[in-house]
Amino acid sequence: MATLFHHPLCPFSRKIRLMLGEKKFSVDYVEERPWERRLDFLMLNPSGEVPVLEGESGAIAGHYPIAEWLEEKGGATPLMPSGGLERAELRRIVAWFDDKFHKEVGQLITYEKIDRRFMRKENGGGTPDIETVRVGISNLKIHMEYISYLLEQRDWLAGSQFGLADLTAAAHLSCLDYTGDIYWQDWAIAREWYARLKSRPSFRPLLADNIAGMPPATHYTNLDF
């Protein structure tokens, strides 16, 4: 059986975990703390980043190649259109969250609130920089407005069909939902969309995550939040 090396509050790892759940592919899960730079893990991925999917034929490093490989393998649920403008739009939304949202929001909040707590001081560990967190929360409002704008026109983020764009966005937002930094009462249409995703069977393993010393927000596991 294949093994996924991941970190619970890494949005890229969460995206792949959601894909595996949707496609009903079974793998073993190994939690990896990328900042520890473990030698055996670096042999799989010299960049030291998660996720990495290792199988009998070798390892696939990085969420983009893993996602492409999983989609090509097929599985229970197709997550990308076959081609054309629909596929291009889905890729655009995926890139929006993996690049822009992560840099402007997720990295500023999750890294400060979660990752730095477990890192050594010499590697950048310590208490959160509150000003950095505030910038991330301020930027989050802009992105929530954009999500709401898209959902006012579409059933799902990239169009009429559920797919990888929704899983990608949900993976990033779920990290902030864990820390309680999304005020869902301000974003009714986004909340309804997220509730649909949160209720899917593929989401259950994410709701079971619990970081030692920092439990999730009280509403995190509640499907009727």
Side-chain angles (χ1 to χ4, degrees), residues 192-223:
E192 189 275 332
W193 161 83
Y194 187 69
R196 283 186 282 159
L197 288 160
K198 199 173 182 179
S199 299
R200 296 179 75 87
S202 64
F203 221 96
R204 291 172 189 163
L206 274 63
L207 297 180
D209 286 340
N210 197 314
I211 304 300
M214 190 170 184
T218 55
H219 71 272
Y220 178 70
T221 60
N222 188 356
L223 301 181

Side-chain angles (χ1 to χ4, degrees), residues 176-197:
L176 305 180
D177 195 37
Y178 185 98
T179 53
D181 288 302
I182 303 178
Y183 301 100
W184 290 109
Q185 64 271 22
D186 295 338
W187 312 103
I189 192 169
R191 178 194 171 282
E192 189 275 332
W193 161 83
Y194 187 69
R196 283 186 282 159
L197 288 160

Side-chain angles (χ1 to χ4, degrees), residues 7 9 33-35 106-133 179 211-212 214:
H7 185 260
L9 264 292
R33 294 182 174 182
W35 54 84
Q107 193 172 35
L108 303 183
I109 298 174
T110 305
Y111 175 79
E112 291 293 334
K113 284 193 168 185
I114 302 292
D115 295 353
R116 291 190 65 201
R117 292 175 179 269
F118 299 95
M119 296 169 64
R120 295 178 180 177
K121 187 175 182 180
E122 59 268 26
N123 293 330
T127 57
D129 184 324
I130 299 303
E131 185 55 38
T132 298
V133 173
T179 53
I211 304 300
M214 190 170 184

